[in-house]
Amino acid sequence: MIYGVGTDLCDIRRIAASLERRGDRFAEKVLGPNEITVFHARRSRVAARGLSYLASRFSAKEAFSKAIGLGMHMPMTWRACEILNAASGKPEIRLHGALAHWFAARRLVAHVTVTDEQDYAASFVVVETTESQREDRS
């Protein structure tokens, strides 16, 4: 059963302006520990790739916060939610701390997709209940 759906469209130029104004502090506020490593690696090869990565993660976290119905309110925080790629390249949501406990207590599972072009990054998140939660309601 679908618990929530979220989508977000992010103007990469706004992210670039924030990064220019605040430097890496902006990326460090938005990205979790695993994401920041990927961001630095991508940016060191091609600056635009790092910027697109940051914007797509920003967008996905916004979409996730909408899908779970919390917005950016505790336990949802920027760094507690990471969007990482599986070995196959598929983006996956990895949660930490209080947000992970909140999510697990509700027996939820999330699916995410991200895309970006020159000026925009977009994401879509579907959060659903697991089979065991559906059975508990019977």
Side-chain angles (χ1 to χ4, degrees):
M1 172 185 285
I2 292 179
Y3 181 87
V5 174
T7 189
D8 189 73
L9 178 65
C10 177
D11 188 331
I12 294 175
R13 296 164 295 193
R14 281 186 49 224
I15 299 298
S18 294
L19 197 55
E20 189 173 311
R21 270 193 318 275
R22 298 177 56 204
D24 278 0
R25 287 186 328 224
F26 177 71
E28 291 163 359
K29 176 184 174 187
V30 172
L31 301 176
N34 298 296
E35 292 170 319
I36 198 77
T37 301
V38 175
F39 167 70
H40 287 303
R42 288 189 181 191
R43 185 172 69 172
S44 71
R45 286 190 296 266
V46 179
R49 285 195 64 210
L51 181 59
S52 292
Y53 181 83
L54 176 58
S56 66
R57 273 42 193 180
F58 183 95
S59 175
K61 292 174 189 206
E62 285 281 342
F64 178 76
S65 73
K66 294 170 186 176
I68 62 173
L70 294 178
M72 283 300 177
H73 300 289
M74 291 301 287
M76 176 63 197
T77 65
W78 291 110
R79 294 177 49 82
C81 174
E82 290 190 292
I83 315 304
L84 301 167
N85 291 353
S88 66
K90 176 186 175 192
E92 298 177 333
I93 295 176
R94 188 176 305 162
L95 305 175
H96 306 288
L99 181 58
H101 295 295
W102 181 91
F103 198 74
R106 286 156 182 78
R107 298 184 182 142
L108 301 175
V109 63
H111 309 280
V112 61
T113 187
V114 297
T115 189
D116 61 84
E117 284 294 330
Q118 183 173 345
D119 293 333
Y120 296 99
S123 58
F124 189 76
V125 174
V126 175
V127 174
E128 63 180 341
T129 57
T130 61
E131 288 297 323
S132 58
Q133 185 177 9
R134 289 183 208 144
E135 292 167 5
D136 289 347
R137 290 184 175 180
S138 305

